[in-house]
């Protein structure tokens, strides 16, 4: 399997950079708290609906709005330029400068200029001076921003002091206020003597020709006011239709970016103004506006990716990304990091540019919860992945497994069965009595040396169910159980617990003939394979006799509820069946909650359930599985069910909803990252002092159990169904 | 260049200037280290401004053209305290000043923000270049939300906004080095609001 060592080396280097890890780790912990505080009393869901509305409207009509915007600004005396590529921008700027014999340019922050590497391409003609403090610092050492809002967040104050010392020619103390003061003093002279000011802009209003710039330092105001020429560089995605559309964006931008109510300065420029010349005379300024395409037209007209046009570049998706927090922005290799960065880079730099980095997304969905533009970022990344895989196939072995083995039901199941005897050779018992594989030969050692793998039992669940004698109390109905590969072949005991619990609640369980749900293929960009697999399952599940189709793996639940319909959209007959399955699909914990806490609850049965479970006092904490919590919206239910069990003392862990690092094949492909995410999760679990950590996803259980076994911890990881079934 | 100066006051919503809006405005501004001074009359405002300059140990100050107070009176009173207030719109003078004074059209309660038609370069310079900036507003112009400010601008300019509008919310700041909040980068490190009425 070809491995891109430069990509892997960048990951290794970032993971070993303790300074960045500490800084971003702390930021990652602080940000959600301060952000929540600044949004207090504001209905975020309503606000982001408004933002999404004005931005998607802008995206839908961008050509028309661009014309209107240009016309308005031209009428007001500004010069509007259109640039298809970065090269066009270089030329436009060169011509503007040449006409006035301009030499010195002060720049306020513009990500669009970073994206096209503007400075590098014009510095033979122009002295380009970054004036945003973070941008100025990284400009001195020739680095790229590692974050859209905080470009130098990867640098320590010691490093910054070195940068100042080198730039100013004398030793500058490691003193942040002093450095800020020096920046003010030195850059002030540049502002006063610059020939041109360049800035970006956050919002462009078509109906008035207004450009809004949000800054804290005040450099954009000076850039816009002092030099005789102001050049504003902006992408088409900044356009909104109406002046009032500024409202919701302004309300969300700083709150989501830096947890501030608003930036210190909001500047609205709707045409050229005046400045003072060297003699103090008031003179008219030149205002040039450059509308940049560089892939944006393609993005905004794409039926799927136009959604990314709702981005207001706050960076909150990056701030909360558990992978970004470990790696910082430079691993992504281009200007825009994190999830939204992958999407933008796809259009600005092409599919080749994101082939590797799109894999960094673990699909935990945390960013989606925070996005003020209501963009389903993980879903768009899956679409990037799908399209990448159409152009650049998966590496050989992976492609063989996903493309050829997975859709061949018999062969695939045969393979999984072989895992039993294959793993049995290396398996031994752990502290919790389960069998684990800790050492693997032939260079596979690194798969299990940080997280023990489960030994596959000899008999999968599909065999075991045949010998379970079901005796539902006061039988209410029948459900179909969709086991999923992990429960079927690695953890059949979770399935057995489900059957016993269902029986206690008056429900009979059937296990129709079934295959994989297709999630692995879906998440690796092979939705065509998922469609094939879905069709293998549909007939056996789309039956009227089942009240519910139950899974105990939220990833499977999500696939049954949503993805099968999606991948079968061009096959009406199959889609109709998928819709039938979708309507009945439910996660086991949700069903148990319905049966024990909902209208259907029968007291006696509930009591039976909670009494048996726990004979002795035990402390339990809960890990929210990403797909259960975020995709299915199930967060309170497992807690309520667990808290009801006698003798259980429930305790919350810090960041219970942050991904454990499993992510299916992610933990094999990018095990370096998965490992560190697991370490963080285990630390949070240990700090609770709990005896047991519960989760409702067998993937999370595999990750948590493997990590706990590796650490020889006394803490046990259980599927909530096992806890309810008293199996510990 | 539209350049015309328009009075925003006829376009304020009915609720503008309510006592609770002032209270919220003050609280939000103070949370950002802004010093908020409230006075009843023009004369009190003139006096308060001189007092503040004394308190900040100002030697050299600059003011944009003022209408809510008499700048000549302030200049004379300041002179007695050894403060040189320049009323000539001179870039070097403003740049060398410790203190800038200018008027803003409205305040925004939910943010502690002041808003100004800033087409005049001098309006901008006095609020950008000196390390301390004093903004004068009328209390009755404090509106509830940012969205209100957009409506006022739309109405006052009949959908044809002035070429430069400035929203200022407290001091200039950065968190670019290790996310440590530090005030006073390219703009003022200290901001004072004087609310008249």
């Amino acid at each position: 399997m070809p491995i891109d060592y430069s990509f892997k080396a960048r990951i290794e280097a970032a993971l070993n950079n303790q300074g960045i890890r500490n800084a971003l780790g702390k930021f990652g912990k602080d940000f959600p708290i301060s952000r929540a505080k600044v949004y207090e009393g504001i209905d975020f869901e309503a606000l982001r609906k408004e933002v999404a509305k004005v931005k998607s409207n802008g995206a839908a009509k961008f050509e028309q709005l661009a014309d209107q915007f240009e016309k308005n600004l031209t009428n007001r005396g500004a010069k509007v330029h259109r640039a298809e590529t970065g090269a066009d921008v270089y030329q436009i700027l060169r011509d503007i400068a040449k006409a006035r014999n301009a030499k010195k340019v002060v720049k306020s922050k513009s990500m669009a200029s970073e994206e096209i590497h503007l400075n590098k391409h014009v510095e033979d003609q122009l002295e380009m001076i970054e004036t945003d403090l973070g941008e100025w610092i990284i400009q001195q050492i020739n680095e790229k921003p590692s974050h859209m809002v905080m470009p130098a967040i990867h640098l320590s104050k010691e490093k910054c002091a070195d940068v100042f010392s080198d730039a100013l020619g004398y030793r500058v103390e490691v003193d942040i206020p002093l450095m800020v003061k020096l920046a003010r003093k030195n850059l002030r002279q540049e502002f006063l003597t610059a020939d041109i000011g360049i800035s970006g802009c956050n919002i462009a209003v078509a109906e008035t020709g207004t450009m809004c710039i949000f800054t804290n330092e005040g450099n954009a105001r000076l850039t816009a006011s002092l030099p005789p020429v102001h050049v504003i560089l902006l992408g088409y995605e900044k356009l909104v239709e109406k002046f009032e559309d500024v409202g919701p964006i302004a309300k969300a931008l700083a709150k989501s970016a830096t947890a501030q109510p608003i930036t210190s300065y909001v500047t609205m420029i709707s045409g050229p103004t005046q400045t003072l010349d060297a003699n103090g005379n008031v003179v008219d300024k030149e205002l040039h506006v450059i509308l940049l395409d560089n892939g944006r037209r393609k993005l905004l007209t794409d039926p799927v990716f136009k959604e990314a046009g709702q981005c207001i570049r706050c960076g909150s998706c990056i701030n909360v990304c558990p992978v970004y927090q470990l790696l910082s922005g430079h691993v992504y290799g281009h200007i825009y990091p994190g999830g939204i960065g992958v999407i933008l880079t796809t259009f600005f730099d092409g599919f080749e540019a994101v082939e590797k980095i799109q894999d960094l997304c673990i699909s935990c969905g945390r960013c989606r919860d925070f996005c003020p533009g209501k963009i389903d970022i993980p879903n768009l990344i899956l679409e990037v992945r799908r399209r990448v895989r159409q152009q650049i196939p998966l590496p050989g072995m992976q492609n063989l497994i996903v493309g050829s083995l997975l859709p061949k039901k018999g062969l695939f199941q045969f393979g999984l069965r072989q895992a039993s005897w294959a793993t049995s050779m290396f398996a031994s018992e752990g502290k919790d009595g389960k069998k684990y594989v800790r050492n693997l030969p032939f260079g596979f050692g690194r798969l299990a040396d940080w997280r023990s793998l489960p030994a596959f039992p000899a008999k999968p669940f599909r065999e075991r169910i045949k010998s379970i004698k079901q005796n539902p109390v006061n039988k209410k109905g029948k459900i179909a159980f969709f086991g999923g590969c992990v429960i079927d072949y690695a953890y059949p005991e979770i399935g057995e617990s489900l059957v016993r619990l269902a029986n206690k609640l008056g429900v009979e369980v059937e296990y129709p003939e079934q295959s994989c749900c297709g999630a692995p293929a879906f998440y690796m960009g092979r939705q065509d394979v998922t469609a094939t697999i879905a069709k293998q399952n549909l007939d056996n599940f789309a039956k009227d006799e089942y009240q519910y189709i139950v899974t105990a793996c939220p990833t499977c639940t999500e696939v049954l509820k949503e993805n099968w319909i999606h991948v079968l959209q061009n096959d009406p007959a199959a889609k109709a069946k998928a819709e039938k399955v979708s309507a009945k699909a439910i996660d086991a914990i949700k069903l148990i909650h319905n049966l024990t806490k909902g209208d259907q609850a029968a007291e006696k049965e509930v009591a039976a359930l909670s009494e048996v479970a726990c004979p002795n006092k035990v402390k339990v904490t809960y890990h929210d599985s990403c797909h259960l919590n975020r995709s299915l919206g199930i967060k309170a239910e497992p807690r309520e069910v667990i808290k009801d069990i006698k003798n259980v003392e429930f305790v919350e862990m810090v960041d219970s909803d942050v991904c454990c690092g499993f992510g299916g094949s992610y933990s094999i492909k990018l095990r370096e990252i998965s490992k560190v995410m697991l370490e963080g999760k285990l630390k949070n679990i240990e700090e609770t002092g709990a005896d047991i950590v519960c989760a409702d996803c067998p993937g999370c259980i595999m990750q948590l159990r493997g990590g706990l076994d590796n650490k020889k911890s006394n803490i046990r990881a259980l599927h909530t169904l096992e806890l309810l079934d008293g199996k510990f | 260049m539209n350049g015309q100066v328009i009075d925003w006051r006829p376009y304020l919503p009915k609720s503008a200037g309510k006592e609770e809006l002032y209270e919220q405005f003050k609280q939000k501004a103070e949370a950002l280290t802004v010093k908020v001074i409230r006075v009843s009359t023009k004369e009190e405002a003139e006096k308060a401004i001189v007092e503040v300059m004394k308190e900040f140990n100002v030697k050299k100050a600059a003011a944009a053209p003022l209408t809510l107070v008499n700048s000549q009176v302030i200049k004379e009173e300041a002179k007695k305290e050894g403060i040189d207030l320049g009323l000539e719109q001179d870039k070097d003078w403003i740049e060398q000043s410790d203190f800038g004074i200018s008027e803003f059209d409205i305040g925004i309660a939910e943010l502690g923000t002041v808003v100004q038609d800033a087409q005049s370069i001098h309006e901008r310079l006095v609020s950008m270049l000196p390390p301390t900036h004093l903004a004068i507003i009328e209390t009755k112009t404090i509106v509830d939300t940012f969205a209100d400010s957009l409506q006022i601008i739309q109405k006052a300019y009949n959908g044809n906004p002035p070429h430069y509008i400035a929203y200022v919310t407290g001091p200039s700041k950065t968190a670019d080095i290790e996310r440590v909040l530090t005030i006073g980068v390219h703009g003022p490190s200290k901001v004072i609001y004087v609310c008249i009425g």
Side-chain angles (χ1 to χ4, degrees):
Chain A
M1 181 180 320
I3 294 172
D4 180 344
Y5 285 100
S6 74
F7 177 57
K8 283 275 186 178
R10 289 210 302 271
I11 293 173
E12 281 291 346
L15 289 172
N16 289 327
N17 187 330
Q18 207 52 49
I20 292 184
R21 291 274 305 280
N22 290 347
L24 290 176
K26 187 167 179 319
F27 176 49
K29 279 211 163 16
D30 295 347
F31 176 75
I33 299 167
S34 45
R35 177 194 164 281
K37 219 173 146 211
V38 76
Y39 268 117
E40 251 169 37
I42 292 169
D43 182 345
F44 180 64
E45 285 308 318
L47 174 60
R48 68 176 178 165
K49 239 172 144 173
E50 272 187 80
V51 173
K53 200 174 127 202
V54 302
K55 290 291 290 180
S56 62
N57 177 57
K61 300 184 190 162
F62 80 95
E63 293 284 12
Q64 174 202 331
L65 297 184
D67 291 343
Q68 191 187 359
F69 175 74
E70 175 171 352
K71 197 170 143 237
N72 279 325
L73 273 171
T74 309
N75 288 343
R76 287 155 166 260
K79 171 86 185 129
V80 179
H81 309 257
R82 304 281 190 123
E84 207 175 298
T85 62
D88 294 344
V89 177
Y90 316 148
Q91 198 50 51
I92 292 164
L93 183 60
R94 282 178 187 281
D95 293 344
I96 293 169
K98 208 169 152 199
R100 301 188 58 105
N101 196 25
K103 293 272 175 254
K104 186 188 279 193
V105 178
V106 282
K107 264 186 81 200
S108 175
K109 196 159 152 249
S110 152
M111 288 305 286
S113 76
E114 291 284 356
E115 165 196 328
I116 58 169
H117 310 284
L118 177 64
N119 293 359
K120 198 173 81 185
H121 287 93
V122 294
E123 62 195 3
D124 58 317
Q125 183 185 338
L126 295 164
E127 184 190 0
M128 304 292 280
I129 302 161
E130 295 290 346
T131 61
D132 173 87
L133 179 58
E135 290 279 347
W136 180 83
I137 291 170
I138 59 171
Q139 187 188 25
Q140 307 310 307
I141 49 176
N142 256 322
E143 282 197 4
K144 289 188 276 191
S146 70
H147 189 286
M148 293 192 256
V149 178
M150 291 160 292
I153 190 172
H154 60 290
L155 299 175
S156 67
K157 58 177 183 289
E158 288 77 16
K159 178 72 194 169
C160 293
D162 289 344
V163 173
F164 270 89
S165 303
D166 286 345
L168 302 180
Y170 60 90
R171 185 69 224 159
V172 173
E173 296 301 311
V174 183
D175 175 343
I176 296 173
L178 172 72
M179 288 188 257
V180 171
K181 222 175 185 169
L182 290 171
R184 175 187 170 98
K185 194 175 144 216
N186 284 282
L187 285 167
R188 177 60 64 88
Q189 282 318 306
E190 309 287 15
F191 280 119
L192 291 167
T193 53
D195 304 308
I196 297 177
I198 298 183
S199 71
C201 102
N202 301 83
I203 311 169
V205 182
E207 73 168 355
T208 56
T210 303
M211 290 158 286
C212 307
I213 310 173
F214 291 68
T215 67
N216 276 318
E217 297 183 3
N219 53 328
R221 303 181 78 203
L222 293 172
T223 303
S225 296
L226 291 172
V229 181
H230 184 195
V231 179
I232 301 181
L233 174 62
L234 67 127
Y236 284 92
E237 81 284 9
K238 304 288 185 202
L239 287 160
V240 295
E241 186 173 1
K242 295 183 183 308
F243 191 68
E244 69 195 33
D245 294 346
V246 171
I249 301 170
K251 193 166 181 176
L253 183 54
K255 293 184 182 76
S256 282
T258 48
Q260 287 174 267
I262 196 159
T263 49
S264 298
Y265 306 106
V266 178
T267 300
M268 294 184 184
I269 295 173
S270 306
T273 53
Q274 293 159 332
T275 189
L276 301 173
D277 68 11
N279 304 319
N281 302 315
V282 174
V283 291
D284 287 347
K285 269 176 79 97
E286 266 179 50
L287 176 65
H288 295 268
V289 177
I290 307 176
L291 268 167
L292 175 65
D293 178 355
N294 201 33
R296 286 165 173 82
R297 277 199 162 94
K298 231 167 130 192
L299 181 137
L300 295 172
T301 50
D302 186 287
V304 179
F305 287 103
K306 63 179 184 201
E307 189 182 331
Q310 289 159 221
C311 176
I312 59 169
R313 302 284 194 280
C314 69
S316 61
C317 58
I318 302 167
N319 299 352
V320 301
C321 171
V323 178
Y324 170 84
Q325 279 166 23
L326 298 178
L327 300 181
S328 169
H330 287 156
V331 170
Y332 293 83
H334 292 267
I335 295 302
Y336 300 96
I340 194 69
V342 166
I343 297 158
L344 299 177
T345 305
T346 303
F347 285 84
F348 301 164
D349 299 276
F351 282 96
E352 294 270 324
V354 296
E355 197 232 331
K356 300 287 175 212
I357 58 170
Q358 52 82 21
D359 266 340
L360 289 170
C361 174
I362 196 166
S363 302
C364 75
R366 195 169 186 226
C367 51
R368 188 173 45 209
D369 287 357
F370 285 82
C371 177
K374 221 171 171 349
I375 305 170
D376 190 343
I377 297 166
N379 189 45
L380 292 185
I381 292 179
L382 284 180
E383 181 62 14
V384 169
R385 197 167 289 171
R386 193 182 70 81
R387 294 194 197 176
V388 164
R389 290 306 160 219
Q390 282 177 346
Q391 299 189 6
I392 312 164
L394 279 166
M397 183 60 97
Q398 291 173 42
N399 208 31
L400 182 74
I401 295 172
V402 176
S404 305
L405 183 59
L406 209 51
K408 294 199 178 64
K409 220 163 102 181
L411 190 60
F412 176 57
Q413 281 162 16
F414 173 79
L416 281 173
R417 287 200 174 205
Q418 305 321 303
S420 167
W421 65 260
T423 55
S424 68
M425 293 191 289
F426 310 103
S428 60
E429 207 171 271
K431 280 189 162 184
D432 59 357
K434 313 253 181 211
K435 288 259 175 74
Y436 290 97
V437 175
R438 300 185 187 84
N439 301 300
L440 284 170
F442 316 122
F444 290 107
R446 286 191 300 182
L447 287 178
D449 66 356
W450 57 279
R451 170 197 69 180
S452 312
L453 292 169
F456 282 36
K459 255 173 114 178
F461 182 75
R462 59 182 60 231
E463 295 295 325
R464 294 192 188 195
I465 178 117
K466 290 176 190 159
S467 52
I468 300 176
K469 227 175 128 60
Q470 293 198 48
N471 191 11
V473 188
N474 307 321
K475 186 174 164 184
K476 285 183 198 136
K478 189 157 75 176
I479 58 172
F481 178 37
F482 188 92
C485 306
V486 181
I487 289 182
D488 201 346
Y489 290 94
Y491 297 136
E493 64 274 16
I494 296 174
E496 291 174 328
S497 288
L498 173 70
V499 175
R500 277 190 291 270
L501 293 167
N503 283 182
K504 269 188 203 167
L505 294 167
V507 178
E508 188 190 339
V509 180
E510 260 190 34
Y511 199 71
E513 170 56 28
Q514 55 193 270
S515 178
C516 171
C517 69
F522 190 84
Y523 286 102
M524 289 169 92
R526 291 293 305 268
Q527 301 189 0
D528 54 322
V529 175
T530 310
T532 307
I533 297 173
K535 285 206 250 183
Q536 293 168 0
N537 288 305
L538 280 172
D539 279 336
N540 294 338
F541 283 88
K543 287 183 182 166
D544 292 331
E545 58 189 292
Y546 304 132
Q547 276 177 302
Y548 290 108
I549 298 162
V550 180
T551 68
C553 167
T555 308
C556 296
T557 316
E558 193 189 354
V559 170
L560 268 58
K561 275 198 103 59
E562 289 169 21
N563 306 141
W564 281 357
I565 299 175
H566 176 71
V567 298
L568 293 168
Q569 52 197 332
N570 298 325
D571 184 339
K575 192 183 167 215
K577 287 180 200 163
E579 277 164 354
K580 211 166 160 186
V581 170
S582 166
K584 290 185 186 179
I586 187 169
D587 201 87
I589 193 65
K590 176 85 177 165
L591 177 66
I592 287 182
H593 185 266
N594 285 354
L595 293 175
T596 57
K597 312 287 284 186
D599 301 338
Q600 306 164 45
E603 259 178 56
K604 229 172 76 188
E605 295 161 5
V606 177
L609 204 67
S610 65
E611 296 223 354
V612 175
C614 213
N616 301 309
K617 277 208 180 308
V618 66
K619 206 169 172 180
V620 177
T621 189
Y622 188 77
H623 161 69
D624 290 285
S625 302
C626 299
H627 291 250
L628 187 76
N629 169 26
R630 298 205 182 84
S631 305
L632 303 171
I634 301 172
K635 191 170 171 92
E637 291 88 340
R639 289 173 168 79
E640 287 176 19
V641 170
I642 292 171
K643 282 175 186 170
D644 261 8
I645 304 172
K646 278 193 181 164
N647 287 328
V648 160
E649 182 197 337
F650 185 78
V651 51
E652 286 286 355
M653 70 170 95
V654 172
D655 289 342
S656 66
D657 62 356
V658 173
C659 181
C660 67
F662 179 69
S665 57
Y666 193 98
S667 65
I668 299 167
K669 271 183 146 175
L670 292 166
R671 68 184 148 67
E672 309 86 340
I673 299 171
S674 176
K675 178 181 172 207
V676 184
M677 287 173 75
L678 175 61
E679 281 165 8
K681 180 54 72 177
L682 293 181
K683 191 166 157 272
N684 290 338
I685 293 170
E686 282 161 2
E687 279 169 5
T688 62
D691 307 298
I692 291 171
V693 52
C694 274
D696 278 283
C697 165
C700 299
I701 293 294
M702 191 187 283
Q703 177 89 335
L704 298 174
R705 256 182 211 173
L708 290 167
D709 180 72
N710 184 271
K711 291 183 89 173
K712 303 208 171 8
S713 169
N714 289 321
I715 303 171
R716 300 193 48 190
L718 291 179
H719 195 287
T720 307
L721 296 178
E722 294 176 283
L723 180 80
L724 288 166
D725 190 30
K727 292 291 162 196
F728 57 93
Chain B
M1 194 96 21
N2 60 359
Q4 68 201 108
V5 176
I6 287 178
D7 188 350
W8 295 20
R9 286 172 293 194
Y11 306 98
L12 298 174
K14 277 205 182 76
S15 63
K18 277 196 171 163
E19 206 50 34
E20 59 260 37
L21 292 182
Y22 168 75
E23 284 305 325
Q24 194 189 4
F25 173 79
K26 179 175 187 270
Q27 182 220 328
K28 296 286 176 188
E30 284 176 347
L32 299 163
T33 74
V34 176
K35 184 180 175 83
V36 182
I37 301 168
R38 189 171 184 184
V39 294
S40 313
T41 62
K42 172 175 164 246
E43 289 73 25
E44 278 181 39
E46 289 155 0
K47 221 169 134 191
I49 292 167
V50 177
E51 282 303 312
V52 172
M53 287 198 282
K54 253 169 72 183
E55 188 189 321
F56 279 79
N57 207 15
V58 173
K59 295 278 170 267
K60 193 170 181 175
L66 305 175
T67 58
L68 298 172
V69 290
N70 187 332
S71 49
Q72 207 55 47
V73 170
I74 300 174
K75 185 180 168 73
E76 279 157 26
E77 288 303 313
K79 200 168 181 185
K80 293 179 193 162
E81 306 294 339
I83 303 163
D84 203 348
L85 173 64
L87 301 177
E88 296 72 38
Q89 308 302 316
D90 183 273
K91 180 158 89 170
D92 293 338
W93 180 279
I94 298 170
E95 212 277 313
Q96 289 152 15
S97 290
D98 325 310
F99 200 89
I101 305 169
S102 61
E103 290 174 352
F104 279 68
D105 294 288
I106 57 169
I108 301 175
E110 66 167 357
L111 298 165
T113 300
V114 290
V115 191
Q116 177 193 45
D117 166 350
Q119 291 182 90
S120 145
I121 179 69
H122 298 110
E123 290 288 349
R124 274 178 271 157
L125 293 181
V126 293
S127 65
M128 292 189 310
L129 297 178
T132 305
H133 171 230
L134 184 147
I136 307 168
I137 63 163
E138 283 181 296
T139 311
K140 69 178 183 196
T141 67
I142 298 175
V143 298
D144 192 0
T145 65
F146 186 92
D148 289 339
S149 74
L150 296 176
Q151 276 195 16
I152 293 165
I153 294 165
Q154 275 295 68
K155 282 188 206 156
Y157 297 89
N158 199 18
N160 197 20
H163 290 194
Y164 199 116
I165 297 170
Y167 285 69
V168 174
T169 311
S172 149
K173 54 181 174 283
T174 185
D176 271 355
I177 303 178
E178 290 197 353
R179 293 196 311 115
V180 174
L181 184 69
T182 313
I183 53 169
V185 199
H186 298 298
S189 56
K190 186 69 197 173
V191 174
I192 300 144
Y193 295 160
V194 171
C195 306
I196 306 178

